[in-house]
Amino acid sequence: MKRIAVALAALIASGWSSGVALPQPAPGTHPLEIGWDARDPYQFLDRAGGQEFLTGLDIEIVRAAARHSNLAISFESVGWAGALEGVRSGSRDAALGVFRLPDRETYGLFSDPYRVEQDSLFLRPDDVRDLQARSLPELFDELARRRFRLGVVEGYYYGPEFAAFAGAPGSAVLVSAVASDSENFARLADGSIDGFLADRLVGLRLSGLTARFSVRPHPVVVYTAPVHVMFSRAATDPRIVEQFNRGLATARTSGDYDRIVRRFTGPVLISAVTGTRWFFTLDVIGTIAFAISGVLIARKEGYSVFGAVVLAALPAVGGGIVRDLLIGRRPIGVVRGPLYLLLVLATVAVGFVVYFALDRARGRFLFMFDLSSWIVRMSRVVLPRDVFELFDALGLAAFTVTGVAIASSAGAEPLLLWGPICGALTGAGGGILRDVIRADAQNPALKTSLYAEIALVWAFLMSIFLQFQDLSSDPDHVRIAILATMTGVFVTRTVVIAKKLASPRF
Amino acid sequence: MEVHESAVGDVRVLAPRGSLDSTTVRAFDRALNDTIDRGARLILIDGNGLEMMTSVGLRVLLTAAKRLQPMGGRLALCGLSAHLVNVFALSGFDKMFAIYRACDEGLAAIRGERG
């Protein structure tokens, strides 16, 4: 079985070096069997159209390299230990995301490096500020002083300094190993450990998946080194590795490599911010503000309760639905969880009850006179409409970032086009839809108000950043870019409201 | 609280000055009810000098209007500040009284309705 693959590879390799057209892998020949280990965003199962499929940064880079080198490959989920053991024994051809270490050289052949892995200590956000260490020795000293409970993954290598530190006799640090990074994340959330070591992207990805609990990497890097595809010496001809390396080089020069890195790195770094509690809070405020705009219109124009739900739901979730349909995101965001629709329903219900109670109290209860007096007095200081507009601007800011993030994670290319479109659709598309449903000939977002334009411009600037910034350089750059985008949207919208600026007429 | 009273034909015009709240309401209540006791049936409250009013002032107005109703009398308001006009409208109590922007208009209206 392996001999056939080797012979085929040799044939392909000779064709390449002599400059003739490469043959396609012969039907029936055995593809290279590669073991993979679930590590989002490098190797993971995604879901679309009701079906699971294997993807990730490592997977897609290897697929691109294999495509460019005419190598047939197949993947099998075997876990980290299984992947290494398969290569060692020769029962599998290769493993992904492997550091090049002396003991592994004895049984593995290494491809050219295809990315860099950077291991950090992940902590609760408050603990990151508490740990003052500025170098690795200082960090380990501080962990020892605190009798730190540290989580690692069984069989992972975290660098020579950590190996010496963890193995030192009498170490006060309690190191415990589990099977995966996600287990460590769960253990930190429930307080079983004080922190865990993980690759930066893996840790940030875990943090971005839920708003309930977030982690941040300590700025001191524990270990950084390039990673490779490790081929089995026992099962793979060295010429296969050379052929793979040529495919990898072609993937880099063709632009495939950069596209794959952007597709999997950008969303993780963005979700590390959008998965935080403060962003979630802004998202909720925005959703409620958008829903309130529908409730106010429903009241003013005498809609039924159902009509109010429609008018409230459209600006809150309508733009996201159109965006997801446009870029083919499955399942559509709003059906992934009931929260946003429930927020809309709750806003309409609260609005209905408040209006019902006010209608009953007006002209009947004397306290309404004092309450009205207070409202009229307060509205001289700040108009209720302005307060609402400020909340709405917060929502626009959060929704714009969400739109760009989703365009980026869906791999919508070019991002410079789809980022702004998705940002503006998410932020303003639902409001436009609502006004279309109302048959409002003066649809403000399309005629007078500077609203969608603000989302477009700032989403475009954020997309430029994501397109051209080296995302692996510093994850904090993405945090700053998101904050700058949100601040930009909010401040611009606030200025537009304060100065009563109108959109230029066509 | 100072409440100036005048008569224009069969309409009694009461013009309170200052704030109509819990500290001043007794004086206004007394002046208004004395006017009714003396047989006045058409009463116009001139709000030009009224700086502020709370629900205790409103209660006095509502009670007086209720007292006048079976006697075929009326109570109207005029010259209220924009603030008070908004408060009456927002609280829904603008339906309980005829409220006129100018007192001349109020006088003409209340006399016309009577005639």
Side-chain angles (χ1 to χ4, degrees), chain B residues 29-87:
Chain B
D29 187 18
R30 196 163 45 241
L32 185 54
N33 281 298
D34 284 353
T35 307
I36 298 172
D37 291 342
R38 290 199 301 273
R41 295 295 175 263
L42 298 178
I43 299 175
L44 184 65
I45 306 296
D46 177 354
N48 279 297
L50 200 55
E51 291 163 8
M52 205 263 281
M53 188 169 106
T54 66
S55 57
V56 292
L58 176 69
R59 181 196 296 273
V60 170
L61 292 176
L62 288 169
T63 308
K66 199 171 175 183
R67 213 181 138 195
L68 286 168
Q69 203 173 21
M71 305 175 197
R74 300 184 70 84
L75 180 78
L77 305 169
C78 68
L80 295 175
S81 64
H83 172 83
L84 279 176
V85 169
N86 285 335
V87 172

Side-chain angles (χ1 to χ4, degrees), chain A residues 361-377 380, chain B residues 53-55 58-59 62 83-84 86-93 95-96:
Chain A
R362 285 180 81 240
R364 288 189 185 181
F365 297 101
L366 289 174
F367 78 87
M368 280 300 293
F369 194 81
D370 293 325
L371 178 65
S372 302
S373 183
W374 180 80
I375 291 170
V376 172
R377 210 165 42 244
R380 265 189 245 150
Chain B
M53 188 169 106
T54 66
S55 57
L58 176 69
R59 181 196 296 273
L62 288 169
H83 172 83
L84 279 176
N86 285 335
V87 172
F88 268 97
L90 192 60
S91 61
F93 286 103
K95 308 282 189 296
M96 307 291 176

Side-chain angles (χ1 to χ4, degrees), chain A residues 98 174 227 246 291 309 329 341 358 371 429 447 484 487:
Chain A
V98 186
L174 186 63
V227 296
R246 282 194 292 274
V309 171
R329 185 174 177 235
L341 218 49
L358 285 178
L371 178 65
K447 283 201 164 178
T487 309

Side-chain angles (χ1 to χ4, degrees), chain A residues 276-336:
Chain A
T276 53
R277 201 177 291 264
W278 67 264
F279 189 92
F280 173 73
T281 306
L282 286 183
D283 215 25
V284 167
I285 288 173
T287 305
I288 293 173
F290 285 180
I292 287 174
S293 71
V295 169
L296 293 175
I297 291 170
R299 166 74 176 188
K300 192 174 165 190
E301 300 182 358
Y303 277 77
S304 67
V305 174
F306 178 73
V309 171
V310 172
L311 294 193
L314 277 174
V317 299
I321 291 173
V322 175
R323 173 204 63 214
D324 289 352
L325 290 174
L326 188 69
I327 61 175
R329 185 174 177 235
R330 296 287 186 281
I332 288 171
V334 73
V335 301
R336 292 181 183 216

Side-chain angles (χ1 to χ4, degrees), chain A residues 239-492:
Chain A
R239 285 171 294 183
I240 290 272
V241 183
E242 289 167 21
Q243 185 180 345
F244 179 84
N245 284 339
R246 282 194 292 274
L248 189 59
T250 310
R252 285 184 192 274
T253 52
S254 69
D256 285 353
Y257 180 88
D258 285 343
R259 270 193 293 277
I260 293 166
V261 169
R262 262 203 313 279
R263 181 178 154 202
F264 289 98
T265 309
V268 172
L269 299 178
I270 294 170
S271 70
V273 179
T274 56
T276 53
R277 201 177 291 264
W278 67 264
F279 189 92
F280 173 73
T281 306
L282 286 183
D283 215 25
V284 167
I285 288 173
T287 305
I288 293 173
F290 285 180
I292 287 174
S293 71
V295 169
L296 293 175
I297 291 170
R299 166 74 176 188
K300 192 174 165 190
E301 300 182 358
Y303 277 77
S304 67
V305 174
F306 178 73
V309 171
V310 172
L311 294 193
L314 277 174
V317 299
I321 291 173
V322 175
R323 173 204 63 214
D324 289 352
L325 290 174
L326 188 69
I327 61 175
R329 185 174 177 235
R330 296 287 186 281
I332 288 171
V334 73
V335 301
R336 292 181 183 216
L339 175 70
Y340 291 96
L341 218 49
L342 288 176
L343 281 174
V344 170
L345 293 174
T347 305
V348 175
V350 169
F352 181 79
V353 169
V354 167
Y355 277 129
F356 183 84
L358 285 178
D359 286 345
R360 292 293 172 278
R362 285 180 81 240
R364 288 189 185 181
F365 297 101
L366 289 174
F367 78 87
M368 280 300 293
F369 194 81
D370 293 325
L371 178 65
S372 302
S373 183
W374 180 80
I375 291 170
V376 172
R377 210 165 42 244
M378 287 305 294
S379 65
R380 265 189 245 150
V381 182
V382 54
L383 287 173
R385 172 105 203 140
D386 290 343
V387 176
F388 168 74
E389 294 271 23
L390 287 181
F391 284 120
D392 183 86
L394 279 178
L396 182 65
F399 278 36
T400 301
V401 167
T402 303
V404 179
I406 287 172
S408 169
S409 63
E413 294 276 351
L415 190 62
L416 292 184
L417 174 69
W418 294 110
I421 289 175
C422 288
L425 261 180
T426 314
I432 295 173
L433 273 180
R434 178 198 62 208
D435 292 338
V436 169
I437 294 264
R438 287 169 57 216
D440 182 359
Q442 296 303 318
N443 197 325
L446 298 180
K447 283 201 164 178
T448 51
S449 113
L450 267 173
Y451 193 84
E453 294 90 333
I454 296 171
L456 266 176
V457 168
W458 284 100
F460 180 63
L461 293 174
M462 184 175 159
S463 301
I464 289 177
F465 172 85
L466 292 176
Q467 184 84 30
F468 297 111
Q469 168 73 19
D470 176 8
L471 294 174
S472 60
S473 62
D474 187 352
D476 277 345
H477 289 175
V478 173
R479 180 184 298 273
I480 293 165
I482 289 175
L483 286 175
T485 304
M486 294 185 69
T487 309
V489 171
F490 181 75
V491 170
T492 312

